[in-house]
Amino acid sequence: MYSIKDVSRLCGLSAYTIRFYDKEGLLPFVTRNGSGNRQFSESDLDMIRLICCLKNTGMQLKEIKRYIDLFMEGDHTIPCRKQMMVGHRASILRQIGELQKQLGVIETKIAFYEAANGADSCCCLKTEAPKEK
Amino acid sequence: MYSIKDVSRLCGLSAYTIRFYDKEGLLPFVTRNGSGNRQFSESDLDMIRLICCLKNTGMQLKEIKRYIDLFMEGDHTIPCRKQMMVGHRASILRQIGELQKQLGVIETKIAFYEAANGADSCCCLKTEAPKEK
DNA sequence: GTAGACCTTAGAGTTCCATCTAAGTCAAGC
DNA sequence: GCTTGACTTAGATGGAACTCTAAGGTCTAC
């Protein structure tokens, strides 16, 4: 069994975020110990990792909650959950396609700058790479 | 010359959003007509399309503003702008890689559901595909 | 038995991005 | 000259996803 801090470390979420997810109903499967503290099992961890995966691929928390709700309802919702994942796969493929398209635009822009100016000159070496993920 | 409504239609942004971007300093190149209304040139449109491209690939508005500010400073900032685009290209490639990795997780999940249940059965036909883009 | 580290809660605050409201200006058509 | 409609502004509001604060409970070690 893991504490909230363990999960935070293992899943790369802050403890705040984990509590927030719980409050939002994303973690109804998490149990408590005698003193009311959350305790997470290995399978809870797996579920949280799946939640992160869905979130990182652009699924909204309320949609993830819908998935979790189905999960809690039992095996008879498997076809429905599968349906959601199939839809989400399509969404991810769309995103990848879109990113690849936009990548082309940026490539063109870079090529333009390459042509407009000498190879490696830079007026502003302190420019750090954008931090967006 | 295009009105704000034209640009809204041509770029898929609401007029609110265009004004908001202007207020945020993303459109310093836009001129006004006699009565104070914004008028957009063809090259303004191109710039707005680039802004959309950067935004859609996860660049924050303040980072985009930094790019626009450099653009307004003139050609001597080209190496710096190129640097930004090179960094952003790396960011897009990271995003694509990440999505592809997560796609694998979802594929596995679907395969699991496929195994757990009959081929095309579905308990919940009204499930629409997730709308996240 | 008390200090320190950990947890709990409710609820406030923050950031980002966008959207809307209210009040007003301007130009064209009747 | 008045209505209509598109535009302007400042600033309020919204929602998504956190992030933090305050007040307090519980366990362990000394």
Side-chain angles (χ1 to χ4, degrees):
Chain A
M1 284 303 199
Y2 301 96
S3 73
I4 199 167
K5 199 157 195 190
D6 296 332
V7 179
S8 170
R9 192 166 23 77
L10 291 167
C11 297
L13 295 173
S14 74
Y16 294 142
T17 302
I18 296 165
R19 285 191 208 101
F20 168 70
Y21 283 0
D22 196 8
K23 198 156 35 170
E24 294 295 296
L26 268 64
L27 312 176
F29 42 80
V30 173
T31 56
R32 305 289 181 128
N33 67 14
S35 37
N37 294 4
R38 291 173 188 82
Q39 48 184 11
F40 302 78
S41 71
E42 207 61 63
S43 77
D44 291 349
L45 271 191
D46 284 342
M47 205 59 180
I48 291 173
R49 289 201 189 95
L50 178 61
I51 288 172
C52 289
C53 171
L54 294 173
K55 187 203 63 175
N56 292 337
T57 48
M59 190 181 282
Q60 290 197 351
L61 296 191
K62 64 181 166 203
E63 183 75 0
I64 297 176
K65 173 164 166 38
R66 213 164 72 82
Y67 176 84
I68 300 285
D69 288 345
L70 288 169
F71 170 76
M72 295 304 284
E73 266 190 61
D75 282 355
H76 71 97
T77 64
I78 282 182
C80 192
R81 282 183 268 153
K82 180 191 153 193
Q83 197 78 348
M84 285 186 75
M85 290 304 101
V86 168
H88 191 58
R89 174 177 57 186
S91 154
I92 296 173
L93 288 169
R94 265 197 308 279
Q95 290 177 66
I96 292 175
E98 181 64 15
L99 282 176
Q100 270 158 350
K101 209 178 84 189
Q102 312 281 41
L103 181 61
V105 177
I106 303 299
E107 300 276 19
T108 306
K109 203 79 201 169
I110 291 172
F112 166 80
Y113 286 142
E114 215 106 71
N117 219 290
D120 271 326
S121 65
C122 183
C123 69
C124 135
L125 287 164
K126 64 188 187 306
T127 308
E128 75 264 330
K131 288 297 190 323
E132 340 82 297
K133 62 136 196 268
Chain B
M1 284 304 198
Y2 301 96
S3 73
I4 198 167
K5 200 159 194 187
D6 296 331
V7 179
S8 169
R9 193 167 22 80
L10 290 167
C11 297
L13 296 171
S14 74
Y16 293 140
T17 302
I18 296 165
R19 286 194 205 98
F20 168 69
Y21 284 0
D22 196 7
K23 196 154 42 170
E24 295 293 297
L26 268 62
L27 312 175
F29 43 79
V30 172
T31 56
R32 304 291 181 126
N33 67 13
S35 36
N37 294 3
R38 292 172 187 84
Q39 47 185 11
F40 302 78
S41 71
E42 207 62 62
S43 77
D44 292 349
L45 271 191
D46 285 342
M47 205 60 178
I48 292 174
R49 291 202 189 94
L50 178 61
I51 289 172
C52 289
C53 171
L54 294 173
K55 188 202 61 175
N56 292 336
T57 49
M59 191 182 281
Q60 290 197 351
L61 295 190
K62 64 180 168 205
E63 183 76 359
I64 297 175
K65 175 166 165 38
R66 213 163 73 82
Y67 176 83
I68 300 285
D69 288 346
L70 288 169
F71 170 75
M72 296 305 284
E73 267 191 61
D75 281 357
H76 71 97
T77 64
I78 282 182
C80 190
R81 281 182 270 154
K82 180 190 153 193
Q83 198 77 349
M84 284 186 75
M85 290 303 102
V86 168
H88 191 58
R89 174 177 56 188
S91 153
I92 296 173
L93 288 170
R94 264 197 309 279
Q95 290 177 66
I96 292 175
E98 181 64 16
L99 281 176
Q100 271 159 351
K101 207 178 86 189
Q102 312 280 41
L103 181 60
V105 177
I106 303 298
E107 300 276 18
T108 306
K109 202 80 201 167
I110 291 172
F112 165 79
Y113 286 142
E114 215 105 73
N117 219 292
D120 272 324
S121 65
C122 183
C123 69
C124 132
L125 287 163
K126 65 188 187 302
T127 310
E128 74 266 332
K131 288 297 188 323
E132 339 81 296
K133 62 144 196 282

